[in-house]
Amino acid sequence: WLDSFLEQNPEYVELSDRKIIKWAASSGMFSSRGWGGSIDKPAFNYGMPGMDDNSIRRIINSVAGLMPRNYVVMEVRQNLCEADRREILKRFSAPCFKKVAHVVMGEPKADYKKVQHEKILKEKQAKSDAAWRAAKADKKRKKDTEKKAKQFAELRKKMEEEKKKKAEEAKKQNEEAAAKKVAEAEKKKAEAEKKKDGEDKKEGEEKKEEEK
């Protein structure tokens, strides 16, 4: 009800623990241990004395009565108790304040139901969209992982093939070098034998001439 009222009457300022937490969030302060409590009375779990001991609430309540503005005091439990209502009204005893009580009970109006249904539908749609985006991101992540794994496998295969090719080329070069070395050695041996045969033949011819 309050959210709808504030949308229709933006000149009003909400005074509640819920609003204090919203103001704190807009200032960059967030609960360190979760919220807890209820919507009407959320728990102050900031780990800061000024917030957790309700000092900030007391200061706001004291100052609000000194500043002429349109306020909405949304305290469900306290507004239902006569003694608490009297304490709240004392804070706004200045003549500039007009006290108006809104009693909300019975079957909600059609426009209120419509707003609430739209709000619920919007929240469901937001959850559905978030789930869809998460599923899409997960699918993309898996696809990227598979793609990277495939690329890595292909790169590894290519490197192994290149390594094998280089090993075969090195083996072939070593075999060719060894064969060349053997051929050169055989050639040198043949030349040496041919030279020796020539020298032996020449020496034999010289002996024959001497005998004559």
Side-chain angles (χ1 to χ4, degrees):
W1 176 85
L2 179 58
D3 291 336
S4 301
F5 178 84
L6 292 175
E7 286 179 5
Q8 297 172 9
N9 303 275
E11 69 276 12
Y12 280 80
V13 177
E14 176 186 352
L15 294 180
S16 66
D17 289 353
R18 182 185 76 156
K19 192 62 178 179
I20 293 173
I21 286 176
K22 286 184 179 180
W23 285 331
S26 64
S27 301
M29 295 175 59
F30 298 95
S31 173
S32 60
R33 292 169 289 178
W35 297 119
S38 62
I39 296 175
D40 184 49
K41 300 294 289 183
F44 285 67
N45 295 322
Y46 290 91
M48 299 175 60
M51 293 292 289
D52 294 351
D53 62 5
N54 297 322
S55 295
I56 187 67
R57 182 203 298 164
R58 289 192 291 271
I59 293 171
I60 291 173
N61 289 338
S62 298
V63 174
L66 303 176
M67 301 179 67
R69 289 186 181 180
N70 295 323
Y71 294 111
V72 179
V73 181
M74 194 65 182
E75 294 286 353
V76 176
R77 185 184 64 81
Q78 292 179 357
N79 287 339
L80 291 173
C81 299
E82 183 180 356
D84 291 335
R85 285 200 305 271
R86 289 182 183 278
E87 288 297 324
I88 293 172
L89 292 174
K90 284 181 183 179
R91 299 202 302 264
F92 302 96
S93 59
C96 60
F97 290 111
K98 178 183 177 182
K99 276 76 76 176
V100 179
H102 287 270
V103 180
V104 181
M105 59 186 297
E107 184 71 18
K109 294 181 179 180
D111 57 345
Y112 177 80
K113 287 183 178 180
K114 182 181 178 182
V115 171
Q116 295 305 312
H117 289 163
E118 289 176 352
K119 185 178 179 181
I120 293 171
L121 182 62
K122 188 177 180 180
E123 290 176 354
K124 286 184 177 180
Q125 186 64 48
K127 289 181 180 179
S128 177
D129 292 344
W132 180 81
R133 285 192 294 268
K136 185 179 179 181
D138 186 58
K139 185 177 180 181
K140 185 178 183 299
R141 185 166 54 253
K142 288 181 179 179
K143 187 176 180 181
D144 292 342
T145 302
E146 290 174 357
K147 185 179 179 181
K148 288 181 180 179
K150 185 178 179 181
Q151 290 176 345
F152 179 77
E154 290 176 353
L155 180 63
R156 186 175 181 181
K157 184 180 179 182
K158 186 178 180 180
M159 290 175 66
E160 289 176 353
E161 289 177 351
E162 289 179 355
K163 185 179 179 180
K164 185 178 178 181
K165 185 178 179 181
K166 287 181 180 179
E168 290 176 351
E169 289 177 353
K171 183 180 178 182
K172 185 178 179 181
Q173 289 176 358
N174 291 334
E175 289 176 350
E176 289 176 352
K180 186 178 180 180
K181 190 174 181 180
V182 171
E184 288 176 354
E186 289 179 352
K187 184 180 179 181
K188 286 181 180 179
K189 184 178 179 181
E191 288 176 353
E193 290 177 352
K194 184 178 180 181
K195 184 178 180 181
K196 185 178 179 182
D197 292 342
E199 290 175 353
D200 291 343
K201 185 177 180 182
K202 185 177 180 181
E203 185 179 349
E205 290 176 353
E206 288 176 355
K207 285 182 178 181
K208 285 181 180 179
E209 289 179 359
E210 289 176 358
E211 288 175 358
K212 289 179 180 181

